[in-house]
Amino acid sequence: MQINTVGVVGAGTMGNGIAQACAMAGLEVIMLDVSDAALLRGQQSIESSLDKLLRKGSLDEAGRRDALGHLRCSTDKHALADADLVIEAATEAESLKLQILKDIDASVGPHCLIASNTSSISITKLAAASGRADRFIGMHFFNPVPVMALVELIRGLQTSDSTQAAAEALVARLHKTAISARNSPGFAVNRILVPMLNEAVFVLQEGLASAEHIDEGMRLGCNHPIGPLALADLIGLDTLLAVMEVFYHSFNDCKYRPAPLLREMVEAGYLGRKSGRGFYRYA
């Protein structure tokens, strides 16, 4: 199946990043959210990202105009009617995703594929709610989407070979690399990454080292491009906590317990870059 039109539900950090990557690849993109204000923030984020690429010389003015020309924004779910693929990129909350997937199924044509950008929730469970389980797949992008080269593909129990093939072809068209992971909490990458970030929060909570020294230690000692606490701020502490909660309840193993400091920071509204304050402060 050839994918030419992509719907992206959610104009937040991940949603607008996915929309930008698809538009830059020449796909027609419909970015959907519940309010004009959310869509405006998402579009402004895309324009800012394209401007940054322009300044770096990675994109010319014609390419910027072309990408924006492939993007449409809407609050009307019926705008997705002609999509070949719709990618759900809402907040990492299972009940919300289940409802959105039902709405998508009712809004798109019978040929349309549906994907979720979830980083931890069961693809098989989401697929069952989608109304088209054989045409459903997990497509887990990484932040910032326009820069990160990886997309993790996760099949549910019902996902067809043709859906997998279509997803792989789309990833290639986006000039990214796909890896396949089995449907298990956190899949492959986050199963390794998120507990490491959570452990860094424990190290900070216990006063073993400052946030700056924890991050510097991992950057210089392990050659990581960004420290774990700065990365947690980039991902969003609420998202990190949600993933750890899924791990904790799914595996019933105390090694996946969220750090109390992480939970308290989320309760305080210190969510990282998106709120202006996490383990660090941001302008």
Side-chain angles (χ1 to χ4, degrees), residues 192-234:
I192 300 166
L193 174 66
V194 174
M196 184 196 77
L197 303 183
N198 188 56
E199 196 63 26
V201 182
F202 269 114
V203 170
L204 178 65
Q205 175 183 305
E206 294 168 16
L208 302 183
S210 67
E212 292 80 2
H213 282 183
I214 291 167
D215 281 354
E216 188 172 26
M218 293 302 290
R219 285 191 296 104
L220 301 181
C222 297
N223 204 29
H224 289 192
I226 184 173
L229 298 177
L231 179 56
D233 278 354
L234 180 63

Side-chain angles (χ1 to χ4, degrees), residues 54-108:
L54 193 64
R55 290 193 299 270
K56 290 171 61 178
S58 303
L59 185 72
D60 59 21
E61 184 58 44
R64 180 186 184 280
R65 285 197 306 271
D66 190 53
L68 291 174
H70 282 94
L71 176 68
R72 288 189 289 134
C73 296
S74 180
T75 57
D76 181 4
K77 60 188 178 184
H78 295 104
L80 301 173
D82 295 327
D84 302 311
L85 166 71
V86 176
I87 303 172
E88 171 275 313
T91 303
E92 196 72 358
E94 184 177 298
S95 59
L96 174 63
K97 288 182 181 291
L98 292 173
Q99 183 57 56
I100 287 173
L101 292 172
K102 291 175 183 176
D103 290 343
I104 292 171
D105 179 50
S107 305
V108 298

Side-chain angles (χ1 to χ4, degrees), residues 101-215:
L101 292 172
K102 291 175 183 176
D103 290 343
I104 292 171
D105 179 50
S107 305
V108 298
H111 74 291
C112 185
L113 306 179
I114 303 178
S116 175
N117 182 56
T118 181
S119 56
S120 62
I121 300 170
S122 168
I123 297 302
T124 295
K125 185 172 186 177
L126 295 178
S130 74
R132 52 189 75 203
D134 62 320
R135 282 164 286 157
F136 189 94
I137 193 166
M139 295 187 72
H140 179 211
F141 291 79
F142 291 80
N143 186 31
V145 177
V147 175
M148 299 298 279
L150 180 68
V151 181
E152 201 173 23
L153 298 180
I154 308 97
R155 291 178 71 145
L157 190 62
Q158 319 93 316
T159 304
S160 68
D161 290 343
S162 60
T163 299
Q164 171 86 18
E168 289 174 349
L170 177 64
V171 172
R173 188 167 174 183
L174 299 181
H175 305 292
K176 297 185 184 295
T177 298
I179 63 169
S180 294
R182 190 167 62 83
N183 183 45
S184 178
F187 318 129
V189 175
N190 276 348
R191 175 74 178 273
I192 300 166
L193 174 66
V194 174
M196 184 196 77
L197 303 183
N198 188 56
E199 196 63 26
V201 182
F202 269 114
V203 170
L204 178 65
Q205 175 183 305
E206 294 168 16
L208 302 183
S210 67
E212 292 80 2
H213 282 183
I214 291 167
D215 281 354

Side-chain angles (χ1 to χ4, degrees), residues 4 47 49-50 53-54 59 81 121 144 148 158 210-211 213 241 243 264 269:
N4 296 309
E47 290 174 358
S49 177
L50 292 172
L53 293 173
L54 193 64
L59 185 72
I121 300 170
M148 299 298 279
Q158 319 93 316
S210 67
H213 282 183
L241 176 61
V243 175
E264 188 171 19

Side-chain angles (χ1 to χ4, degrees), residues 261-279:
L261 176 60
L262 175 63
R263 191 184 305 279
E264 188 171 19
M265 291 185 71
V266 171
E267 290 172 350
Y270 300 159
L271 307 182
R273 285 182 178 269
K274 61 186 171 186
S275 70
R277 180 174 178 179
F279 295 110

